[in-house]
């Protein structure tokens, strides 16, 4: 709780400092018109618009990806807002000027109207009524984007229908901004301010890192809008301070959403890791503990100690081995040493009675991820159990190595083997196939009656 409050206070003081600096710079430009530098650089203007469009498109993709993972309504609205901004910039501001063309009155007014619509959606994203999640994510996202394309088409048609009565925006008629344009820019600035407040409040309440970055980007966009309000009317060939602020603002927004999607993927990975650990406990340790409990209950019920005690000791030893492996393998974030040691101890336990000989060949340069270590241990465990119980094997060779950059695992025994019709049979084979698939590997079996069986796992690159 203290950490969250400190984080919010640090953001708040940083926001106050940024607003103070940008406000002072704006006041300086208003007081000294000679400082309002503009540059007749149509190529640079097109480049800046392209950067803004690409940044908006990337934010749309990242916000949409986060929505597809977590299903938050606010992310859907956020993706929609940036989609409108990016699509409008491409269609109304960039495309008409390609090849040396000029920005027409219809396109200029459509661009400003679409920018207002974009910020209506972005400013609405932190609203309380948009909290919560939805289920039909992919279909809903596609439908929303289609509706927004229709809205953009309507914006252009509206601007075209009224273009005869709308003033020109090329700066050739007056030294002052048209009143309608000032109204649109003022409304956009107000929406920028609402976005700053909304994302700031949500950051205070939920300590979501994305809200901090969105508030920071909206602050830069706010002063970009204010610069546009007080600027002298100019054609689309000129570049001003507001254009640079808008580019910086979109860059900040892009960084924030990128961090959010990375955190979202990390959160999903953590959830998957928890599920995997739960499965390992269920499939491994819990089974041995159940066997211990069963044999103990048989002793209480009067079973022959000469028969039940050895089985109880065997089950307890297996549970102890399983617990050691779980601690070693689940805690290994890098390196194979714990995995190698656990696998060798398991082989020692399995071959203690001399019924099976197991040769381990592990290439120490072959690196395995934590998820791969656990699944491969289970595959080797299942393969050795099959060789001992069903194949009647006397010797098994387990190889973990790499060749020409490809990592692989092979479990080859000298047992009775089987024919091709039985290749996919057995729950053990299905389990191994599923475990290999869970780590992105390919599982295959080759066997010949009377000449043994070889299990192959080809790991992902």
């Amino acid at each position: 709780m203290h950490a969250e409050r400190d984080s919010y206070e640090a953001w708040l003081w940083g926001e106050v400092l940024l607003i103070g600096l940008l406000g002072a710079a704006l006041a300086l430009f208003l007081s000294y018109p000679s400082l309002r530098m503009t540059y007749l650089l149509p190529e640079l203007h097109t480049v800046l618009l392209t950067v803004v469009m690409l940044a908006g498109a990337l934010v749309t993709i990242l916000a949409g990806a986060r929505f597809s993972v977590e299903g938050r309504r606010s992310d859907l609205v956020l993706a929609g807002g940036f989609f409108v901004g990016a699509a409008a910039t491409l269609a109304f501001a960039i495309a008409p000027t390609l090849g040396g063309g000029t920005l027409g009155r219809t396109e200029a007014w459509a661009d400003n109207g679409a920018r207002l619509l974009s910020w209506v959606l972005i400013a609405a994203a932190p609203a309380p009524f948009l909290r919560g999640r939805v289920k039909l994510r992919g279909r809903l996202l596609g439908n929303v984007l289609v509706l927004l394309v229709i809205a953009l088409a309507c914006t252009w048609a509206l601007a075209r229908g009224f273009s005869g009565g709308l003033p020109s925006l090329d700066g050739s008629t007056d030294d002052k901004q048209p009143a309608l344009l000032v109204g649109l820019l003022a409304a956009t600035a107000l929406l920028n301010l609402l976005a700053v407040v909304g994302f700031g409040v949500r950051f205070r309440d939920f300590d979501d890192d994305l809200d901090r970055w969105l508030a920071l980007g909206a602050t830069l966009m706010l002063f970009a809008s204010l610069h546009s309000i007080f600027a002298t009317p100019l054609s689309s060939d000129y570049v001003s301070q507001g254009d640079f602020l808008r580019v910086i603002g979109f860059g900040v927004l892009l960084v924030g959403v990128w961090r959010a999607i990375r955190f979202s993927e990390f959160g999903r990975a953590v959830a998957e890791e928890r599920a995997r650990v739960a499965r390992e406990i269920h499939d491994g340790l819990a089974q041995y503990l159940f066997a211990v409990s069963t044999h103990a209950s048989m002793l209480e019920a009067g079973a022959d100690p000469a028969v039940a005690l050895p089985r109880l000791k065997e089950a307890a030893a297996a549970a102890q081995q399983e617990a050691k492996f779980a601690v070693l393998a689940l805690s290994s974030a890098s390196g194979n040493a714990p995995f190698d040691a656990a696998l060798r101890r398991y082989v020692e336990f399995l071959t203690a009675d001399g019924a099976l000989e197991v040769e381990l060949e592990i290439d120490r340069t072959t690196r395995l991820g934590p998820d791969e270590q656990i699944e491969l241990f289970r595959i080797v465990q299942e393969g050795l159990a099959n060789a001992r119980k069903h194949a009647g094997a006397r010797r098994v060779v387990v190889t973990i190595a790499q060749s020409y950059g490809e990592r692989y695992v092979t479990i080859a025994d000298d047992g009775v083997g089987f024919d091709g019709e039985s290749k996919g049979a057995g729950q053990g084979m299905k389990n191994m196939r599923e475990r290999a698939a869970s780590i992105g590997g390919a599982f295959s079996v080759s066997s010949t009656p009377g000449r043994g069986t070889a299990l192959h796992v080809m790991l992902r690159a």
Side-chain angles (χ1 to χ4, degrees):
M1 191 67 180
H2 291 291
E4 293 179 3
R5 185 166 57 249
D6 292 343
S7 179
Y8 173 72
E9 290 179 356
W11 167 82
L12 187 60
W13 281 110
E15 191 73 14
V16 170
L17 179 60
L18 178 63
I19 292 175
L21 291 174
L22 294 175
L26 179 61
L28 193 63
F29 292 145
L30 294 177
S31 301
Y32 298 94
S34 60
L35 295 177
R36 304 178 205 169
M37 297 180 183
T38 56
Y39 308 92
L40 181 58
L41 296 170
E43 294 83 2
L44 179 60
H45 187 265
T46 302
V47 169
L48 292 180
L49 286 177
T50 303
V51 172
V52 168
M53 183 271 296
L54 291 175
L58 288 173
V59 172
T60 301
I61 294 171
L62 294 174
R66 178 173 168 174
F67 170 75
S68 66
V69 172
E70 300 183 357
R72 298 183 184 183
R73 296 190 183 96
S74 59
D75 289 334
L76 175 63
V77 176
L78 199 64
F82 283 108
F83 171 77
V84 169
T89 301
L90 175 62
F92 303 144
I94 297 177
T97 61
L98 295 177
T102 58
L103 192 65
R105 182 179 305 182
T106 298
E107 290 78 11
W109 280 104
D111 181 42
N112 283 280
R115 190 180 302 171
L116 179 66
L117 174 60
S118 170
W119 278 98
V120 167
L121 295 173
I122 295 172
F129 64 84
L130 287 175
R131 294 173 186 171
R133 303 172 188 265
V134 297
K135 293 183 178 180
L136 301 177
R137 302 168 188 174
R139 182 179 300 177
L140 181 59
L141 180 60
N143 292 340
V144 168
L145 294 182
V146 170
L147 290 175
L148 292 177
V149 170
I150 296 174
L152 284 174
C154 293
T155 301
W156 182 84
L158 190 64
R160 182 178 177 82
F162 289 94
S163 60
L166 295 174
S168 175
L169 299 180
D170 60 3
S172 60
T173 57
D174 199 349
D175 291 336
K176 294 182 179 180
Q177 300 277 28
L180 180 58
L181 178 61
V182 171
L184 284 175
L185 293 174
T188 302
L190 178 60
L191 290 169
N192 297 149
L193 180 60
L194 290 176
V196 173
V197 175
F199 289 119
V201 170
R202 200 166 70 171
F203 176 61
R204 180 198 64 189
D205 295 340
F206 301 103
D207 194 36
D208 189 343
D209 185 63
L210 173 62
D211 295 327
R212 168 170 44 193
W213 288 88
L214 290 173
L216 180 59
T219 303
L220 293 167
M221 301 299 292
L222 166 63
F223 282 90
S225 299
L226 293 176
H227 272 274
S228 299
I229 292 175
F230 296 109
T232 303
L234 296 170
S235 71
S236 59
D237 294 335
Y238 284 83
V239 176
S240 65
Q241 290 90 350
D243 295 318
F244 289 106
L245 278 177
R246 187 168 290 109
V247 170
I248 296 173
F250 269 95
V252 169
L253 292 170
L254 181 59
V255 171
V257 178
W258 173 252
R259 284 169 55 94
I261 196 67
R262 290 291 300 273
F263 180 81
S264 176
E265 290 294 331
F266 174 77
R268 184 171 64 175
V270 169
E272 292 176 352
E273 181 71 7
R274 288 175 177 172
R276 184 174 59 82
V277 171
R279 188 179 73 245
E280 289 304 316
I281 293 175
H282 175 269
D283 293 347
L285 185 59
Q287 301 298 324
Y288 292 117
L289 292 178
F290 176 76
V292 170
S293 176
T294 300
H295 292 305
S297 299
M298 291 173 61
L299 281 173
E300 288 183 344
D304 185 3
V307 176
L309 280 177
R311 293 179 179 177
L312 178 60
K313 291 175 63 177
E314 182 180 355
Q320 183 182 26
Q321 174 64 32
E322 186 69 25
K324 287 181 179 179
F325 168 73
V327 172
L328 288 170
L330 293 176
S331 63
S332 59
S334 63
N336 294 345
F339 169 76
D340 295 355
L343 189 57
R344 293 185 187 280
R345 282 200 293 269
Y346 173 76
V347 169
E348 290 175 2
F349 167 76
L350 184 69
T351 58
D353 59 359
L356 182 67
E357 177 186 351
V358 178
E359 180 180 347
L360 278 179
E361 298 179 359
I362 301 177
D363 181 2
R364 296 187 179 277
T365 64
T366 303
R367 313 307 297 173
L368 301 174
D371 58 334
E372 294 174 328
Q373 293 178 21
I374 292 176
E375 298 300 342
L376 289 179
F377 183 93
R378 296 297 181 212
I379 291 173
V380 172
Q381 189 179 43
E382 187 77 39
L384 294 178
N386 286 346
R388 179 183 175 114
K389 296 179 182 178
H390 306 299
R394 297 291 301 170
R395 185 173 184 272
V396 181
V397 178
V398 178
T399 305
I400 302 175
Q402 57 186 351
S403 177
Y404 300 102
E406 294 186 336
R407 300 171 301 150
Y408 64 90
V409 178
T410 302
I411 307 169
D413 65 57
D414 61 355
V416 296
F418 52 82
D419 57 25
E421 296 180 357
S422 305
K423 185 175 180 179
Q427 186 62 40
M429 292 292 182
K430 293 179 181 178
N431 291 340
M432 288 186 283
R433 197 179 303 276
E434 290 175 358
R435 289 187 179 277
S438 71
I439 54 176
F443 179 82
S444 62
V445 182
S446 59
S447 182
T448 303
R451 301 185 62 179
T453 302
L455 312 178
H456 308 275
V457 178
M458 187 64 68
L459 298 174
R460 61 177 183 261

